[in-house]
Amino acid sequence: MKFALTPDWMRTMRSLALFLLTLDIYCYDAVVGADQSEVEQHLEMGKKLLAAGQLADALSHYHAAVDGDPKNYLTYFRRATVYLALGKSRSALPDLNKVLELRPDFTAARVQRGNVLLKQGHLQDALKDFQKVVSQEPGNAEAVEKASLIAPLQSHIDSARDMYNSGNYQEVINLLGAVVEHCPWYSDLREMRAESYVAIGELGKATGELRTTVKLIPDNTKGYLRLSMLHYEMGEEEDSLLQIRECLKLDPDHKECFAHYKKVKKLAKQLASANDLKNSEQYQECVDKAEQILQTESSVLAFKLRARGYLCRCHSKMGNVKEALKACNEVLEIEPENIDALIDRAEAHLANEDYEKAISDYQRANEIDPDSRRVQQGLNKAQKLQKQASKRDYYKILGVKRTARKKEILKAYRKLAVKWHPDKHEGDDKEKAEKMFMDIAAAKEVLTDPEMRKRYDMGEDPLDPEQQQGGGHGHPFFFQQGFNPFGSGGFNFKFNFN
């Protein structure tokens, strides 16, 4: 196994290698029943691999050295050093115990064991080791310093427990800050601090603590379940799924973990599906999937907001104004700066021809993200449509919604064209009929042509001479197109219904 060679890690490894090399000043105990040269070869290879950062390979050689010479305290010490470099303090401690059993006066091993015990939170045992070193070497600065830490640390821990029991969670966090620096492998303290973070609503920091505890405690199914549930509460279904799978790896029959796994897996699949349906513009299917999400999870706010966000977008795209506004309002009530919900609500207002509200939502979105192209395009469209509303509205002329399909538009056109054809009117009504007939024909021309309709929906009238290069005179549809629909010989009741 190879590790990233960060500067701090390299300095640590150089120190370890130098320390191990200097151990040659100590005399070896007599080797009984072992091939000394073979043991020394393993030790030499272990040192080289350790210096190169190949810790797993170094460890295998130290295993062989210990097996070959179980009475040699240095082989245990070197293996313990590699365990510590790998972060395996639980494995290192028995080796350090064996070293001191074989060589009680080996102060370097006693300091090392004291440090491990301190980091694990076994303060009184650590104190005994440091005091023993000081009695042997009064000038050992590290042992003196560490021994002086024990009483203050214990005092902070006792106070933190009292604060936790009384519900003063912020003070618990404050007290444990310095303690955890010295006792990073003390899982009980990390769990206490994690629950304190949960209590004050800082779930992200709580998960950071628990990620450490699940590594410190063997077979920690409880920790993985708690970690998974916190990620779930934050709306992080993929991380929740990842952690609950770790629980099931340790215990496939764990009832709580399996029940939570089934729920998270189902919800994660629904959320991914809703997102895909939204992106592929399958809006009705998106709405249906969002409703399923709300049935699966009705209490976790993060997931409810995402489901309503899908309802907001997909109803808006379908032109379901009432449903879209309801869903968007629910999202924005909780997350006022949710830019997607603002834009989707603005689009619903546009479909409802409420241009002022649409412009207001786009302007709020623009304040949040001035660089959003979607916001800029929407704002320009809303402003053009507001200006256009004072002129001809082709949708109103035909009496159809902005979401009407071509079939609906043609049906409305045929009905109105029959009603307003000039041949069916006389006298004063004839002039009105001519104008209405031309407006109906113009509306049909624009709204049944995909490109022209797209331009119109963006706020541009493709038949308005004022908006076209070169201008024009007369009726914007007929005279720009260069023909008179009524012909030179009067009106004919034959016109294009397609």
Side-chain angles (χ1 to χ4, degrees):
M1 182 182 296
K2 293 187 178 181
F3 291 78
L5 303 181
T6 62
D8 288 343
W9 190 87
M10 286 295 293
R11 284 194 292 271
T12 301
M13 294 310 302
R14 282 196 295 268
S15 297
L16 285 171
L18 180 61
F19 178 72
L20 289 175
L21 290 171
T22 60
L23 288 175
D24 292 337
I25 63 173
Y26 290 95
C27 295
Y28 283 89
D29 288 346
V31 178
V32 179
D35 186 342
Q36 181 64 43
S37 63
E38 185 178 343
V39 170
E40 288 181 352
Q41 286 177 5
H42 284 302
L43 291 173
E44 186 63 27
M45 282 300 300
K47 286 192 290 184
K48 289 180 178 179
L49 292 167
L50 177 61
Q54 297 173 252
L55 303 185
D57 292 334
L59 188 60
S60 66
H61 283 283
Y62 287 129
H63 284 324
V66 168
D67 291 341
D69 188 2
K71 297 293 185 179
N72 189 336
Y73 69 93
L74 285 177
T75 59
Y76 289 103
F77 185 73
R78 289 178 176 181
R79 188 170 69 175
T81 302
V82 179
Y83 275 134
L84 291 174
L86 288 167
K88 298 181 178 181
S89 62
R90 288 180 176 273
S91 298
L93 199 54
D95 275 358
L96 292 171
N97 291 339
K98 187 65 175 179
V99 172
L100 292 170
E101 176 187 323
L102 294 171
R103 186 69 179 269
D105 62 341
F106 190 3
T107 56
R110 196 171 292 279
V111 169
Q112 192 73 284
R113 188 175 72 174
N115 283 326
V116 171
L117 292 169
L118 173 59
K119 289 179 179 180
Q120 290 181 341
H122 302 299
L123 300 188
Q124 297 309 311
D125 290 336
L127 180 60
K128 291 177 183 177
D129 272 340
F130 293 134
Q131 288 176 336
K132 179 70 173 177
V133 172
V134 172
S135 69
Q136 293 175 332
E137 299 178 5
N140 191 308
E142 183 178 4
V144 171
E145 178 190 357
K146 294 295 176 64
S148 68
L149 290 174
I150 302 301
L153 289 174
Q154 188 63 61
S155 176
H156 283 330
I157 292 170
D158 293 341
S159 297
R161 293 190 193 283
D162 290 340
M163 293 296 101
Y164 185 81
N165 292 331
S166 63
N168 192 345
Y169 300 111
Q170 186 59 59
E171 187 59 25
V172 173
I173 294 167
N174 295 339
L175 285 167
L176 292 182
V179 178
V180 171
E181 285 185 21
H182 294 289
C183 309
W185 303 334
Y186 195 172
S187 58
D188 287 353
L189 296 188
R190 286 191 176 274
E191 288 179 344
M192 188 194 306
R193 189 160 70 167
E195 293 305 323
S196 297
Y197 278 130
V198 171
I200 65 173
E202 294 195 30
L203 303 190
K205 291 183 178 179
T207 59
E209 293 287 355
L210 290 177
R211 282 181 184 275
T212 301
T213 65
V214 294
K215 296 176 182 178
L216 293 174
I217 303 173
D219 300 328
N220 193 357
T221 55
K222 178 183 176 182
Y224 280 116
L225 175 61
R226 181 66 172 136
L227 187 54
S228 177
M229 296 188 79
L230 285 177
H231 280 300
Y232 187 84
E233 191 174 342
M234 290 189 290
E236 298 171 352
E237 70 279 5
E238 292 300 330
D239 285 330
S240 180
L241 199 56
L242 180 66
Q243 299 303 328
I244 206 64
R245 282 174 175 152
E246 292 298 321
C247 175
L248 292 173
K249 285 180 184 178
L250 295 172
D251 182 1
D253 298 322
H254 196 290
K255 291 183 179 179
E256 289 181 276
C257 286
F258 186 69
H260 187 61
Y261 168 74
K262 288 198 300 182
K263 183 175 183 178
V264 180
K265 185 179 179 181
K266 178 181 179 181
L267 184 63
K269 185 176 180 180
Q270 290 175 336
L271 287 164
S273 178
N275 191 59
D276 290 342
L277 291 167
K278 178 198 71 174
N279 292 336
S280 60
E281 300 182 1
Q282 300 179 64
Y283 296 123
Q284 183 57 59
E285 292 84 353
C286 167
V287 167
D288 295 340
K289 191 61 65 175
E291 295 291 355
Q292 291 178 20
I293 293 170
L294 290 172
Q295 291 177 2
T296 300
E297 182 49 73
S298 59
S299 59
V300 175
L301 181 60
F303 293 126
K304 289 167 63 178
L305 280 175
R306 283 169 65 184
R308 286 172 179 153
Y310 291 131
L311 291 174
C312 171
R313 168 68 61 84
C314 298
H315 275 309
S316 179
K317 291 296 184 181
M318 291 170 66
N320 300 334
V321 175
K322 182 178 179 181
E323 293 84 352
L325 291 177
K326 178 184 177 183
C328 296
N329 288 338
E330 287 174 340
V331 174
L332 291 167
E333 184 177 345
I334 298 169
E335 296 182 342
E337 294 192 351
N338 187 314
I339 191 167
D340 288 328
L342 281 170
I343 296 172
D344 293 332
R345 188 172 72 176
E347 291 182 358
H349 284 315
L350 285 182
N352 206 33
E353 300 180 15
D354 195 337
Y355 304 118
E356 287 189 10
K357 288 183 178 179
I359 290 171
S360 175
D361 277 346
Y362 279 126
Q363 287 174 337
R364 282 181 60 194
N366 189 56
E367 291 173 2
I368 298 167
D369 185 2
D371 298 322
S372 171
R373 186 176 179 183
R374 187 182 173 203
V375 171
Q376 292 299 325
Q377 289 177 337
L379 181 58
N380 291 336
K381 175 182 175 180
Q383 291 170 337
K384 285 182 179 179
L385 287 173
Q386 185 181 47
K387 183 178 180 181
Q388 188 184 82
S390 61
K391 299 181 180 181
R392 293 180 306 165
D393 187 328
Y394 293 135
Y395 291 102
K396 284 186 177 180
I397 289 171
L398 294 181
V400 296
K401 294 181 179 180
R402 284 187 169 271
T403 56
R405 298 181 179 180
K406 183 176 181 179
K407 184 177 180 180
E408 298 174 72
I409 292 168
L410 288 172
K411 181 179 179 181
Y413 162 68
R414 293 187 187 107
K415 181 178 179 181
L416 291 170
V418 170
K419 176 181 177 180
W420 291 103
H421 196 281
D423 285 352
K424 298 182 66 177
H425 297 268
E426 296 180 356
D428 294 339
D429 286 343
K430 194 174 188 69
E431 183 177 348
K432 177 181 178 182
E434 290 177 0
K435 183 180 184 306
M436 288 296 298
F437 183 73
M438 287 190 291
D439 285 345
I440 292 163
K444 177 255 184 184
E445 180 72 10
V446 171
L447 299 185
T448 57
D449 183 286
E451 181 61 30
M452 294 175 72
R453 183 176 181 179
K454 181 178 179 181
R455 289 165 58 192
Y456 183 74
D457 286 344
M458 290 300 295
E460 174 190 346
D461 187 345
L463 302 183
D464 187 343
E466 294 181 2
Q467 297 184 26
Q468 311 304 313
Q469 292 183 350
H473 301 283
H475 194 282
F477 167 54
F478 298 113
F479 297 104
Q480 273 200 74
Q481 300 301 318
F483 68 92
N484 183 345
F486 305 119
S488 59
F491 303 119
N492 294 314
F493 203 107
K494 294 179 181 178
F495 44 84
N496 182 15
F497 282 130
N498 297 315

